[in-house]
Amino acid sequence: MFQPSHGPVEHLQEIAPIGLRNAVKSFGRTAVLKEVSFELRQGEVLALLGENGAGKSTCVKLLAGVHTPTLGSVVVDGMPADFQSPADASKAGVAVMHQHPGLFPDLSIAENIFIGHMPTTGPGFIDAGRMREEARRVLDTVGLNVPPETRLGELRTSEQQLVEIARALSLKARVLIMDEPTAALSQREVERLFQVVGELRKQGVAMMFVGHRMDEIFRIADRIAVLRDGSLVGVEPAAALSRPAAIKMMVGRELSSLYPERTASRGPVSLAVRSLVLQAGGPSIDLIVRKGEIVGLGGLVGSGRTEIARVLFGVDRPVSGEILIDGIPRKIHSPREAMDAGIAYVSEDRMGQSLVMDFSILDNAALTVLAKAAPRGFYRPQSAIELVGGELQRMKLRFSGYEQPVKQLSGGNQQKVVISKWLATKPRIFILDEPTQGIDVNTKAEIHAMIADLAAQGMAIILISSELPELLGMCDRIIVLREGEKTAEFTREEATQELILEAATSERDSSGHAEHDRIDAAPAFTLANILKRREFGLFAAMAAVILPVALINPRIFSAANLTAVSMDVALLMVAALGQMLVLITRNIDLSVASIIGLAAYLSASALSAHPAIGPIGGLFIACSVGIAAGLINGALVTFGRIPAIVVTLGTLSIYRGLNSLWAAGDQVSADEVPISWLNMTGTKLAGVPLIVVVTLLILLTASYLLNNTGIGRELFATGSNPDGAELVGIPQRRQILLAFALAGLLAGICGALWASRYATVDARVATGFELTIIAASVVGGVAIRGGAGTLLGVALGALTLLVIKNGLTLVRVDPLWLQGVYGLVILAAIGIDALVTRRARRAGNN
């Protein structure tokens, strides 16, 4: 087991690589940090302690370049430094493991590790082979045996935290800041992290460790700095500071006991689980919880603890088994049915599953009792206060008012809101999954006292925790799980940390191997995987249209029809590519059809007035119009901070109006433009229309650039996790502006090709075409939520829609039905995307 040296490496130079000097940070009129000074020394670990809201994360963000000091400075090598972004901090040799990992679920593990500093070849393209090789090296260092090309969203929460650690190590920084790095890790993973810290200490890396687990703090720290209410209380050598003294520095008073004295007064069985099977072929589990009893579920991350909780609360369905409430069998198929049965569940994912971060404290706390807070359908804040105000006061919530956004609260106070929300339902059975994860010692004591009080009132409680001292200090019985199987059960008197760890680990694991022994990903092209791919579904949809239509009208396979469809598909693909670029950044462009129409008319009218400019001149005008419109959209979204749907809904009408004013009711016909303009799309190369060839070249170029350049991957990262992109220094505004500009350029090209393809152009060109463009992107797999999409999917989406249109036309279906069909296809595609996302999230929780 690693033990710190508790002293700097003697041969290293004395100047601290980084620190804060009289740093003040204010948000508005609120000062969250007040003249704080400390330094990180080479070869040492400085632990930063403090209650939630004391200013620890603010210190981290100042050193990481996320925030800049209001007064005072960040000091690098003894000199003041001006960090304007995380990229500046990174250049100064600072690596950060953030409390909430800034990872990108839609990117690969390797891309997550090296995003922002990807290895490149001479011309600036990503060196994929080298990136995978170096990713494997750092993954081995942290003990995660997973292929680097695996999509990050497929990993469990603890594995993703290990990737965050690997990313920090990949920077080879001289300063490493760890903000709650162990919150989601198992004991074995914590040991592995501490081994890595030991190696970095020998290399002279200066480190800061922010955490709440006192055992870890005193194991790893050389010096301890304590914050309280934004001020530095003091910095002491870890060897000279006792735990009670550290806690007193944090809270300003003696903390009598972290775990309240309690006497179990168990009543009749409240909850019974019989022969519960979580997965097909898995073991069965029996479980009982009595009234007034606290039963702990222990085990490694992924052992099945959370899965049991989700089944009991109706989030997931078991394969088989029986759940009895007060001796009566109950079928629980949804959270609503669980709540009706008197069950409440506090999820381990506070930010993702328990709170709506943009809602107020009151609105969050009232979510479980909305029906009562909104009698006759009208929500009344006063009714909500009457329902949940008492619980919020009971939890000693620190807040400025019920309307305060919950995202402004510290982690501990956010957890209090979550618990209050569920206590408002007056449950008889309370399931708490990691209720004190990431919160300070004082708030922990308050929550422990609340749990003990609820048990004393007769509530049956299931407590899931990765902290063994918490299980030992709070529970009457502890049930240990391993890989979904119950391996041991201990009474309060019998349980010890050694016995629980022994029951939680297999013989193979106890030999010292990492917990995450994972086999390589299944081959990508097995029949089962092919059938699951969206592309297969699109081919199946096209076949479902083509085959019956061919029986009714064989003209669908005629050369003329295939040529016409291919040219129409080419136009749609170009526009859909632009829409994809915007969608992957979590935005949308409703004005795309108006830009196409404006570019088409202006380029055609310019050629009509000045034929000498030729096709090149017309194309230049169309592209210029598209880029200008795209930049206007992007600037309003990024600098104006107006939602893209609002901006582009407005510019949709503006661009269309400008087109109408310019055209003034006139149209440009085929005999008014040079024949070379018409031939631009009509010419064939080896029997293939030139417009199709141009489109394929555009798609292939775009695909290569998106997948093989840092800018391309950063576009995906921007949409996959905007907050994470900010933490790693990706310039989000620039990326979004670039996406809109490129979308405008592609819309301009589409407009020029449209004018050449259809010859006659007026102000109504492409009216309503935006629905088809968006549909092609979404049906092709571009996620509305951002961060995901492929060019192949977009191409197939465009092809699918126009095959449907062509088929319906050939069998003489009323064109008015077409928009309805497109709408149904969009809904189906979004539904599939939501299903895939839920399954991926569920897999990540296992």
Side-chain angles (χ1 to χ4, degrees), residues 536-560:
F536 176 82
L538 295 177
F539 279 118
M542 284 187 278
V545 172
I546 291 171
L547 294 179
V549 169
L551 294 175
I552 299 172
N553 191 341
R555 285 179 50 207
I556 193 171
F557 293 122
S558 68

CSV table of all heavy atoms in Angstrom, one decimal, residues 536-560:
chain,number,residue,atom,x,y,z
A,536,PHE,N,-28.5,-0.1,-41.5
A,536,PHE,CA,-29.3,-1.2,-41.9
A,536,PHE,C,-30.7,-0.9,-42.0
A,536,PHE,O,-31.5,-1.3,-42.9
A,536,PHE,CB,-29.0,-2.4,-41.0
A,536,PHE,CG,-29.8,-3.6,-41.4
A,536,PHE,CD1,-29.4,-4.5,-42.4
A,536,PHE,CD2,-31.0,-3.9,-40.7
A,536,PHE,CE1,-30.2,-5.6,-42.7
A,536,PHE,CE2,-31.8,-5.0,-41.0
A,536,PHE,CZ,-31.4,-5.8,-42.0
A,537,GLY,N,-31.2,-0.1,-41.0
A,537,GLY,CA,-32.6,0.3,-40.9
A,537,GLY,C,-33.0,1.1,-42.1
A,537,GLY,O,-34.1,1.0,-42.6
A,538,LEU,N,-32.1,2.0,-42.5
A,538,LEU,CA,-32.4,2.9,-43.7
A,538,LEU,C,-32.4,2.1,-44.9
A,538,LEU,O,-33.3,2.3,-45.8
A,538,LEU,CB,-31.3,4.0,-43.8
A,538,LEU,CG,-31.3,5.0,-42.6
A,538,LEU,CD1,-30.1,6.0,-42.8
A,538,LEU,CD2,-32.6,5.7,-42.5
A,539,PHE,N,-31.5,1.1,-45.1
A,539,PHE,CA,-31.6,0.3,-46.3
A,539,PHE,C,-32.9,-0.5,-46.3
A,539,PHE,O,-33.5,-0.7,-47.3
A,539,PHE,CB,-30.4,-0.7,-46.3
A,539,PHE,CG,-29.1,-0.1,-46.9
A,539,PHE,CD1,-28.0,0.0,-46.1
A,539,PHE,CD2,-29.1,0.4,-48.2
A,539,PHE,CE1,-26.8,0.6,-46.6
A,539,PHE,CE2,-27.9,1.0,-48.7
A,539,PHE,CZ,-26.8,1.1,-47.9
A,540,ALA,N,-33.3,-1.0,-45.1
A,540,ALA,CA,-34.5,-1.8,-45.0
A,540,ALA,C,-35.7,-0.9,-45.4
A,540,ALA,O,-36.7,-1.3,-46.0
A,540,ALA,CB,-34.7,-2.3,-43.6
A,541,ALA,N,-35.7,0.4,-44.9
A,541,ALA,CA,-36.8,1.3,-45.2
A,541,ALA,C,-36.9,1.6,-46.7
A,541,ALA,O,-38.0,1.6,-47.3
A,541,ALA,CB,-36.6,2.6,-44.5
A,542,MET,N,-35.7,1.7,-47.4
A,542,MET,CA,-35.7,2.0,-48.8
A,542,MET,C,-36.2,0.7,-49.6
A,542,MET,O,-37.0,0.8,-50.5
A,542,MET,CB,-34.3,2.3,-49.3
A,542,MET,CG,-33.9,3.8,-49.0
A,542,MET,SD,-32.3,4.2,-49.7
A,542,MET,CE,-31.2,3.6,-48.5
A,543,ALA,N,-35.8,-0.4,-49.1
A,543,ALA,CA,-36.3,-1.7,-49.7
A,543,ALA,C,-37.8,-1.8,-49.6
A,543,ALA,O,-38.5,-2.3,-50.5
A,543,ALA,CB,-35.6,-2.9,-49.1
A,544,ALA,N,-38.3,-1.4,-48.4
A,544,ALA,CA,-39.7,-1.5,-48.2
A,544,ALA,C,-40.6,-0.6,-49.1
A,544,ALA,O,-41.7,-0.9,-49.4
A,544,ALA,CB,-40.0,-1.2,-46.7
A,545,VAL,N,-39.9,0.5,-49.6
A,545,VAL,CA,-40.6,1.3,-50.5
A,545,VAL,C,-40.4,0.9,-52.0
A,545,VAL,O,-41.3,0.8,-52.8
A,545,VAL,CB,-40.1,2.8,-50.4
A,545,VAL,CG1,-40.6,3.7,-51.5
A,545,VAL,CG2,-40.5,3.3,-49.0
A,546,ILE,N,-39.1,0.6,-52.3
A,546,ILE,CA,-38.8,0.3,-53.7
A,546,ILE,C,-39.5,-1.0,-54.2
A,546,ILE,O,-40.0,-1.0,-55.3
A,546,ILE,CB,-37.2,0.1,-53.8
A,546,ILE,CG1,-36.6,1.5,-53.6
A,546,ILE,CG2,-36.8,-0.4,-55.2
A,546,ILE,CD1,-35.1,1.4,-53.5
A,547,LEU,N,-39.5,-2.1,-53.4
A,547,LEU,CA,-40.0,-3.4,-53.9
A,547,LEU,C,-41.5,-3.3,-54.3
A,547,LEU,O,-41.8,-3.7,-55.4
A,547,LEU,CB,-39.7,-4.5,-52.9
A,547,LEU,CG,-38.2,-4.8,-52.7
A,547,LEU,CD1,-38.0,-5.8,-51.6
A,547,LEU,CD2,-37.6,-5.2,-54.0
A,548,PRO,N,-42.3,-2.8,-53.4
A,548,PRO,CA,-43.7,-2.7,-53.8
A,548,PRO,C,-44.0,-1.7,-54.9
A,548,PRO,O,-44.8,-2.0,-55.8
A,548,PRO,CB,-44.5,-2.3,-52.5
A,548,PRO,CG,-43.5,-1.8,-51.6
A,548,PRO,CD,-42.2,-2.4,-52.0
A,549,VAL,N,-43.3,-0.6,-54.9
A,549,VAL,CA,-43.4,0.4,-56.0
A,549,VAL,C,-43.0,-0.2,-57.3
A,549,VAL,O,-43.7,0.0,-58.3
A,549,VAL,CB,-42.6,1.7,-55.7
A,549,VAL,CG1,-42.6,2.6,-56.9
A,549,VAL,CG2,-43.3,2.4,-54.5
A,550,ALA,N,-41.9,-1.0,-57.3
A,550,ALA,CA,-41.4,-1.6,-58.6
A,550,ALA,C,-42.5,-2.5,-59.2
A,550,ALA,O,-42.6,-2.7,-60.4
A,550,ALA,CB,-40.1,-2.3,-58.3
A,551,LEU,N,-43.2,-3.2,-58.3
A,551,LEU,CA,-44.3,-4.1,-58.8
A,551,LEU,C,-45.4,-3.3,-59.4
A,551,LEU,O,-46.0,-3.8,-60.4
A,551,LEU,CB,-44.8,-5.0,-57.6
A,551,LEU,CG,-43.8,-6.0,-57.0
A,551,LEU,CD1,-44.5,-6.6,-55.8
A,551,LEU,CD2,-43.4,-7.0,-58.0
A,552,ILE,N,-45.7,-2.1,-58.9
A,552,ILE,CA,-46.8,-1.3,-59.5
A,552,ILE,C,-46.3,-0.5,-60.7
A,552,ILE,O,-47.0,-0.4,-61.7
A,552,ILE,CB,-47.3,-0.4,-58.4
A,552,ILE,CG1,-47.9,-1.2,-57.2
A,552,ILE,CG2,-48.4,0.6,-58.9
A,552,ILE,CD1,-48.3,-0.3,-56.0
A,553,ASN,N,-45.1,0.1,-60.6
A,553,ASN,CA,-44.5,0.9,-61.6
A,553,ASN,C,-43.1,0.6,-61.8
A,553,ASN,O,-42.2,1.2,-61.1
A,553,ASN,CB,-44.8,2.4,-61.3
A,553,ASN,CG,-44.5,3.3,-62.5
A,553,ASN,OD1,-43.8,2.9,-63.4
A,553,ASN,ND2,-45.0,4.5,-62.4
A,554,PRO,N,-42.7,-0.2,-62.8
A,554,PRO,CA,-41.3,-0.6,-63.0
A,554,PRO,C,-40.4,0.6,-63.4
A,554,PRO,O,-39.2,0.5,-63.4
A,554,PRO,CB,-41.4,-1.6,-64.1
A,554,PRO,CG,-42.8,-2.1,-64.1
A,554,PRO,CD,-43.6,-1.0,-63.6
A,555,ARG,N,-41.0,1.8,-63.7
A,555,ARG,CA,-40.2,2.9,-64.1
A,555,ARG,C,-39.3,3.4,-63.1
A,555,ARG,O,-38.4,4.2,-63.3
A,555,ARG,CB,-41.2,4.1,-64.5
A,555,ARG,CG,-41.9,3.9,-65.9
A,555,ARG,CD,-42.8,5.1,-66.1
A,555,ARG,NE,-42.1,6.4,-65.9
A,555,ARG,CZ,-42.7,7.5,-65.5
A,555,ARG,NH1,-44.0,7.5,-65.3
A,555,ARG,NH2,-42.0,8.6,-65.4
A,556,ILE,N,-39.5,2.9,-61.8
A,556,ILE,CA,-38.6,3.4,-60.8
A,556,ILE,C,-37.1,3.0,-61.1
A,556,ILE,O,-36.2,3.7,-60.6
A,556,ILE,CB,-39.0,2.8,-59.4
A,556,ILE,CG1,-38.3,3.5,-58.2
A,556,ILE,CG2,-38.8,1.2,-59.4
A,556,ILE,CD1,-38.8,3.1,-56.9
A,557,PHE,N,-36.9,2.0,-61.9
A,557,PHE,CA,-35.6,1.5,-62.2
A,557,PHE,C,-35.1,2.1,-63.6
A,557,PHE,O,-34.0,1.7,-64.0
A,557,PHE,CB,-35.4,0.0,-62.2
A,557,PHE,CG,-35.6,-0.6,-60.8
A,557,PHE,CD1,-36.6,-1.5,-60.6
A,557,PHE,CD2,-34.8,-0.2,-59.8
A,557,PHE,CE1,-36.8,-2.1,-59.3
A,557,PHE,CE2,-34.9,-0.8,-58.5
A,557,PHE,CZ,-35.9,-1.7,-58.3
A,558,SER,N,-35.9,2.9,-64.2
A,558,SER,CA,-35.5,3.5,-65.5
A,558,SER,C,-34.3,4.4,-65.4
A,558,SER,O,-34.1,5.0,-64.3
A,558,SER,CB,-36.7,4.2,-66.2
A,558,SER,OG,-36.9,5.4,-65.4
A,559,ALA,N,-33.5,4.5,-66.4
A,559,ALA,CA,-32.3,5.3,-66.4
A,559,ALA,C,-32.7,6.8,-66.1
A,559,ALA,O,-32.0,7.5,-65.3
A,559,ALA,CB,-31.6,5.2,-67.7
A,560,ALA,N,-33.8,7.3,-66.7
A,560,ALA,CA,-34.2,8.7,-66.5
A,560,ALA,C,-34.5,8.9,-65.1
A,560,ALA,O,-34.2,10.0,-64.5
A,560,ALA,CB,-35.3,9.0,-67.5
